[in-house]
Amino acid sequence: MENFVHTSIGAIHLAMALLATLSGTIVIIKSKGGKLHKRLGYVYVANMVGLNITALLIYDLFGSFGIFHYGAIFSLITVLAGVVPAIRRSNKHWVARHYSFMYWSLIGLYAAFASETLVRVPNSPFFGMVGLATAIIMVLGWWRFIPLRKRWTGQFY
């Protein structure tokens, strides 16, 4: 396990990643707008914020700021862009903004998981694996987003 998680920050990062993945997946699968959705949504957001903060504290890979740090910043922006409209509810389009940003936040988490997994394959080309994993997950995410967007839009508009 010491080769898998190098520090206590890494262990916290891993735990938050697992909790965010689980809670985010349940939120996407289950019906929207109810108590379960809201509670698990807050669990997801809290874990994503913690996950991204801990990601910015991990420098084991390059010894300096690297590609996963940029991903963490982008992920944090995406999560906040998804949760703010749900809290503010300032106009009639808040639902579309909320579900779009939150959906892509989760797809980004899946892509990060796939990238992190593939770069651990011995003798694998690091940037090639990150690019491949991210591209595949994003394409699959877009393919799935189209029918979901229609269903969610029909549910709330």
Side-chain angles (χ1 to χ4, degrees):
M1 190 68 161
E2 60 269 352
N3 290 333
F4 188 68
V5 178
H6 299 283
T7 65
S8 58
I9 291 174
I12 294 167
H13 180 78
L14 176 61
M16 289 184 155
L18 294 173
L19 289 170
T21 302
L22 179 64
S23 59
T25 300
I26 293 170
V27 166
I28 288 293
I29 292 170
K30 294 289 188 180
S31 62
K32 308 295 173 261
K35 286 183 182 179
L36 179 66
H37 174 90
K38 291 176 185 174
R39 287 181 182 156
L40 285 176
Y42 284 120
V43 169
Y44 174 76
V45 168
N47 279 285
M48 284 299 292
V49 169
L51 169 69
N52 288 308
I53 289 170
T54 57
L56 294 170
L57 301 174
I58 298 171
Y59 289 89
D60 296 338
L61 191 57
F62 297 114
S64 63
F65 203 83
I67 190 168
F68 289 127
H69 295 106
Y70 290 109
I73 292 169
F74 185 75
S75 175
L76 190 56
I77 291 168
T78 306
V79 169
L80 295 176
V83 78
V84 167
I87 293 170
R88 293 185 63 206
R89 298 178 186 218
S90 60
N91 63 43
K92 67 179 184 175
H93 300 291
W94 76 266
V95 172
R97 289 189 182 114
H98 171 67
Y99 73 66
S100 294
F101 279 109
M102 296 309 280
Y103 176 85
W104 286 108
S105 167
L106 183 62
I107 296 301
L109 179 60
Y110 292 160
F113 174 78
S115 296
E116 181 70 32
T117 302
L118 289 179
V119 298
R120 292 178 183 271
V121 173
N123 302 318
S124 65
F126 178 83
F127 288 105
M129 292 305 227
V130 169
L132 178 67
T134 301
I136 289 171
I137 299 298
M138 290 298 174
V139 167
L140 290 173
W142 183 255
W143 172 76
R144 188 68 187 117
F145 182 67
I146 294 168
L148 285 174
R149 180 178 57 188
K150 289 177 184 174
R151 186 174 81 202
W152 293 336
T153 301
Q155 182 179 353
F156 291 101
Y157 294 111

